Amino acid sequence: MKRIKMGCTTLSIPAMALGIMRMNQKSVPEAQVAIQAAYDAGINFIDSADIYGGGKSEEIFGQAFSQMRIKREEMFIQSKTGIVPGKRYDFSKEHILHSVDEILERMQLDYLDSLVLHRPDALMDPEEVAEAFDQLQAAGKVRFFGVSNFDTAQFKLLQSCLSQRLMFNQLQFSLKHTGMIDFGMHMNMVDKPSVDRDSQFLDYASLHKVTVQAWSPFQYGMFEGAFIDNDGFPKLNQELQKLADKYEVGKNAIAAAWILRHPANIQMLVGSMNPQHIRDSAKGAKIRLTRQEWYDLYLAAGNYLP
């Protein structure tokens, strides 16, 4: 498994993480199979959130992982907080501290390697968040911190009040969600791809050594479904299959290789609980697409160059 530097540190993490959003749909033995498949492929990074399955995903993970032979220190375990489903976003100190205690209990852990704030809270008080982070770190409950779906200004605002460096920003990125790179190639134009919806965060991340974690790497839209083997995207799947045949892997690996080819050292979140899909996706970390192959996939996905 390809390894990348975590944020501004010298610590290395795998270029892929296993997202456990759907683990609530699995039995404990099935969850163990998925975790083991990821671990065997070099993916020793887990990404969770307190809202996944209403907390059930973390409960299943905790039960599964506690019975496995993998040592805790061999895994990097991350969770997210800040969403109160259907009610509000909440970055209050009280909510953050309470959520972490509940996460640790569900996952049967003494600490999290990383805590990520899930979606921007319009009422965020950066100094209050800083107090929560300091308390969690001093108590040994969280080692590192990050955010998810933050724009550049939001990221900089929060960072200005923290004593810790933010390591991560989770952002949607895939062959069918390419906004973070479209506008750069359509600079000084008035067409739709020229609109910057991501406040140039990918460039900011490269400049300031922030690890971008790409979520929904095989999805189109928000949660409409997968584009791989989807009849709605024949040209893209034809190109994926052509390269899959060349590199002797599955389409998942090629779609993953496309993300990891970007020089920003992106970490990709694999959200599948299917051991075969996990193993195939992991193979993408070993493939370095040529520039032409990368652009061929970009164009096959329905994008165009000015």
Side-chain angles (χ1 to χ4, degrees):
M1 169 58 58
K2 174 185 176 183
R3 308 283 295 187
I4 62 174
K5 289 290 189 295
M6 185 183 76
C8 61
T9 74
T10 58
L11 299 176
S12 71
I13 55 175
M16 294 185 188
L18 179 67
I20 64 168
M21 183 174 70
R22 299 178 179 86
M23 192 165 278
N24 64 305
Q25 303 169 10
K26 300 297 180 181
S27 66
V28 170
E30 289 172 333
Q32 289 176 325
V33 172
I35 296 168
Q36 191 67 54
Y39 181 80
D40 290 344
I43 303 174
N44 64 332
F45 193 118
I46 301 295
D47 175 69
S48 182
D50 54 6
I51 64 165
Y52 288 168
K56 187 68 174 179
S57 291
E58 294 189 333
E59 289 180 6
I60 295 295
F61 174 85
Q63 294 171 34
F65 186 66
S66 67
Q67 300 172 25
M68 299 179 71
R69 295 183 178 179
I70 303 172
K71 296 179 180 179
R72 170 64 183 93
E73 58 270 24
E74 294 178 343
M75 297 292 281
F76 191 108
I77 301 176
Q78 168 177 285
S79 190
K80 299 183 288 294
T81 190
I83 298 178
V84 181
K87 295 183 179 180
R88 65 184 186 277
Y89 298 146
D90 194 340
F91 288 176
S92 67
K93 177 180 177 181
E94 179 184 15
H95 181 77
I96 292 172
L97 296 178
H98 180 67
S99 295
V100 169
D101 285 340
E102 290 190 327
I103 290 168
L104 294 176
E105 182 177 356
R106 284 192 297 269
M107 301 186 84
Q108 300 186 35
L109 302 172
D110 295 325
Y111 68 94
L112 289 173
D113 291 288
S114 176
L115 176 70
V116 168
L117 300 180
H118 209 157
R119 276 195 174 274
D121 175 10
L123 301 180
M124 177 182 73
D125 179 343
E127 293 182 353
E128 186 176 0
V129 174
E131 290 178 7
F133 284 7
D134 285 344
Q135 189 168 325
L136 289 168
Q137 193 171 60
K141 294 181 180 180
V142 180
R143 298 176 64 207
F144 303 103
F145 300 90
V147 296
S148 180
N149 304 297
F150 271 44
D151 67 22
T152 303
Q154 292 165 335
F155 189 96
K156 291 166 72 174
L157 173 62
L158 178 57
Q159 182 63 82
S160 70
C161 292
L162 299 178
S163 56
Q164 306 87 2
R165 284 285 295 270
L166 291 169
M167 296 292 156
F168 308 105
N169 191 4
Q170 287 193 11
L171 299 166
Q172 188 175 7
F173 186 55
S174 74
L175 273 163
K176 291 300 297 179
H177 195 99
T178 55
M180 285 199 296
I181 58 175
D182 293 339
F183 78 93
M185 290 184 284
H186 288 255
M187 171 64 182
N188 201 33
M189 300 187 70
V190 294
D191 54 358
K192 186 176 179 180
S194 69
V195 178
D196 175 14
R197 296 180 173 84
D198 302 284
S199 66
Q200 301 182 38
F201 193 87
L202 199 55
D203 292 333
Y204 176 87
S206 295
L207 280 169
H208 297 278
K209 299 188 184 304
V210 178
T211 299
V212 170
Q213 296 177 319
W215 58 270
S216 288
F218 308 129
Q219 302 285 312
Y220 66 96
M222 284 291 287
F223 297 105
E224 279 84 327
F227 57 78
I228 294 177
D229 292 329
N230 187 320
D231 292 339
F233 308 103
K235 189 173 181 180
L236 175 55
N237 276 280
Q238 181 180 0
E239 192 65 29
L240 286 167
Q241 188 61 61
K242 183 179 80 172
L243 292 172
D245 291 342
K246 173 185 173 179
Y247 289 101
E248 299 182 335
V249 294
K251 293 179 182 177
N252 286 59
I254 300 301
W258 184 86
I259 293 173
L260 300 182
R261 181 64 172 81
H262 194 280
N265 280 328
I266 295 171
Q267 184 186 47
M268 193 191 84
L269 307 181
V270 182
S272 177
M273 291 289 99
N274 183 316
Q276 182 178 348
H277 288 170
I278 294 169
R279 285 189 287 266
D280 183 54
S281 298
K283 293 176 183 177
K286 300 179 180 179
I287 297 171
R288 183 174 173 83
L289 298 173
T290 68
R291 288 176 174 269
Q292 191 59 58
E293 289 168 345
W294 189 90
Y295 275 101
D296 286 345
L297 285 165
Y298 178 77
L299 296 171
N303 300 298
Y304 64 94
L305 299 175

